[in-house]
Amino acid sequence: PSVYLSNPFPNGLNLPTGSSEGLLTGIGSSFENPLTGDNKVGYTQNWDLDIQRQLPFNLLVDVAYVGSHGVHLNKSGESDWNANQLTPTALALGSELEQSVVNPFYGIIQTGAESGKTIPRSYLEAPFPQFTAVDLSYLSGGYELYNSFQLKVDKRISQGLNFLVSFTGQKQMDDYSGIENVGNITGGIQNIYNPQAEYGVSSNDISKNLVVSGVYALPFGRGQQFGAHWSRPLDALLGGWQINGIATEQTGFPLSPSTQNTTDSGSDVLRPNLTGVSPVVHGSARSRLKDYLNINAFSQPAPFTFGDAPRTLSNVRAPGTHDIDFSVFKNFHTTEKVNVQFRAEAFNALNQVVFGDPNMVLSSGQFGVITSQSNTPREIQFALKVLF
């Protein structure tokens, strides 16, 4: 061990400076600022209208509209909102921001980018020129709106058969809530002085989701419709079988384009410009692995300017999910109080490939190229279960 409980801090404690350094606290460095006093507590409003109808053959149909509205949500993650980003007025200086000017902090700041006799003018044009960055943590103010149509058809179990069909068609909009789903990239905040430009389809949006599942205990064996009087050896071979399956189809998440940040503004991300050409490339994901979307639909913004592409593309999404899980169970009724169940289960039974997100960095040289797989190959497992 590198340290012991008897002396857990052999190099001493890094004590907070408090107000001992006054306005010199953290000068010349970047830091992350916790929640500020004007943050408001976020909340959501939820509403739904649900209609259910019982039909013959033990069918239940459920149709629902579900919506929600969130305000004052976390607008950024741990370090996505740089309060030291250059203002539009400062950014209008263009190439003058790269000019070397006399450093008024020379001799005061001892190390780092602002310690030289001269520094780029962009440092001094920042709202807090004595710091290189001021990241605000979990700033509130995010906005979210969700609307969905939900359909469920449930065949309640009878004669050994049960199945469930669930479909959701939805649209979720937000202005960067700071919450990512399954590692999906939110796209970052480009210009803190224009938060309206962040509003768009949520990075968490799954526009369509369909799940079909079923269980069917085959009517063969002792006490069943077929083979009610079979002998025990024949029943052990042909009776007590059950098949199960789950099929899932869903659209992918919206994609967020970005490019090399040439703004010199301290922004979190730079998005490309739209050229007016459609980014949509038709065909299966497999046929588009090297050109999943049209690179000609985007261009690099001029230096010291922001791109006009939206935070997320509503018409181009990552490859969707398609998956079939299948299993077969065999039940053995060994005694009156003990049953044994053999299970053979296959996940991604058809060994279908779900490709990962394409490269969305325009300046990378690999823009629109898919190089990864987001699901796992087929997995088969066997199990023996004893119920008593």
Side-chain angles (χ1 to χ4, degrees):
S2 58
V3 296
Y4 296 86
L5 289 176
S6 59
N7 185 22
F9 304 104
N11 299 321
L13 295 174
N14 186 14
L15 299 175
T17 59
S19 60
S20 62
E21 297 181 7
L23 295 179
L24 296 178
T25 304
I27 192 170
S29 64
S30 64
F31 64 91
E32 186 176 324
N33 189 48
L35 290 172
T36 56
D38 58 351
N39 268 0
K40 297 181 179 180
V41 176
Y43 65 90
T44 60
Q45 301 165 324
N46 304 276
W47 55 87
D48 65 88
L49 174 64
D50 192 295
I51 300 175
Q52 297 181 352
R53 180 69 176 176
Q54 179 73 40
L55 300 177
F57 307 106
N58 289 315
L59 283 175
L60 174 67
V61 177
D62 187 323
V63 180
Y65 161 71
V66 178
S68 71
H69 171 223
V71 295
H72 304 312
L73 305 178
N74 284 343
K75 200 174 181 65
S76 64
E78 293 185 2
S79 58
D80 294 329
W81 188 282
N82 180 14
N84 216 25
Q85 182 176 316
L86 295 186
T87 65
T89 301
L91 203 58
L93 294 173
S95 60
E96 295 181 24
L97 294 171
E98 298 178 336
Q99 295 176 350
S100 294
V101 296
V102 176
N103 182 10
F105 301 111
Y106 179 68
I108 302 174
I109 297 177
Q110 301 294 327
T111 60
E114 294 187 287
S115 61
K117 290 184 178 181
T118 61
I119 55 175
R121 183 175 176 178
S122 59
Y123 285 105
L124 301 183
E125 293 292 338
F128 306 98
Q130 69 273 35
F131 305 117
T132 55
V134 180
D135 296 320
L136 302 184
S137 304
Y138 303 105
L139 189 69
S140 69
Y143 173 90
E144 171 269 337
L145 181 63
Y146 172 85
N147 292 282
S148 70
F149 166 78
Q150 300 179 10
L151 172 66
K152 180 175 72 174
V153 179
D154 186 5
K155 166 65 170 65
R156 296 176 179 176
I157 189 166
S158 61
Q159 299 180 336
L161 175 64
N162 164 252
F163 67 82
L164 176 65
V165 178
S166 299
F167 172 78
T168 299
Q170 70 168 45
K171 189 171 187 179
Q172 183 176 5
M173 306 288 291
D174 62 28
D175 62 350
Y176 190 76
S177 65
I179 304 301
E180 299 180 7
N181 191 4
V182 294
N184 193 45
I185 301 174
T186 62
I189 298 174
Q190 179 175 246
N191 184 2
I192 65 172
Y193 302 105
N194 185 18
Q196 291 83 3
E198 305 299 323
Y199 186 73
V201 177
S202 173
S203 298
N204 299 327
D205 181 68
I206 300 175
S207 61
K208 297 180 181 65
N209 183 42
L210 174 66
V211 180
V212 180
S213 61
V215 174
Y216 185 37
L218 300 180
F220 302 101
R222 294 169 65 89
Q224 301 295 323
Q225 182 179 359
F226 303 101
H229 303 291
W230 283 352
S231 64
R232 287 191 176 275
L234 184 60
D235 180 66
L237 178 64
L238 301 179
W241 289 95
Q242 175 183 319
I243 57 176
N244 321 278
I246 303 175
T248 302
E249 288 285 339
Q250 72 177 33
T251 55
F253 294 105
L255 296 173
S256 299
S258 64
T259 188
Q260 179 184 0
N261 195 338
T262 55
T263 64
D264 200 22
S265 65
S267 63
D268 179 58
V269 69
L270 176 64
R271 301 185 189 118
N273 282 331
L274 299 177
T275 63
V277 176
S278 173
V280 178
V281 176
H282 298 286
S284 65
R286 185 182 297 273
S287 67
R288 296 185 287 150
L289 294 180
K290 294 185 178 181
D291 54 354
Y292 189 78
L293 65 168
N294 188 356
I295 190 174
N296 296 319
F298 308 93
S299 64
Q300 178 74 27
F304 314 107
T305 65
F306 292 113
D308 58 16
R311 179 170 56 89
T312 54
L313 302 175
S314 59
N315 56 348
V316 182
R317 291 173 175 263
T321 296
H322 39 268
D323 179 76
I324 294 179
D325 300 329
F326 182 78
S327 62
V328 177
F329 295 174
K330 177 66 173 74
N331 297 301
F332 299 91
H333 303 288
T334 54
T335 67
E336 183 179 350
K337 294 184 178 181
V338 178
N339 293 323
V340 177
Q341 184 183 77
F342 171 75
R343 307 161 69 103
E345 300 167 304
F347 303 96
N348 189 11
L350 301 183
N351 204 27
Q352 296 172 291
V353 176
V354 177
F355 294 100
D357 292 358
N359 184 312
M360 291 302 294
V361 182
L362 180 65
S363 56
S364 68
Q366 294 290 311
F367 183 76
V369 177
I370 296 178
T371 59
S372 64
Q373 178 180 349
S374 64
N375 69 335
T376 57
R378 177 172 49 225
E379 297 178 359
I380 299 176
Q381 67 181 26
F382 303 98
L384 194 65
K385 187 176 182 179
V386 179
L387 301 94
F388 59 91

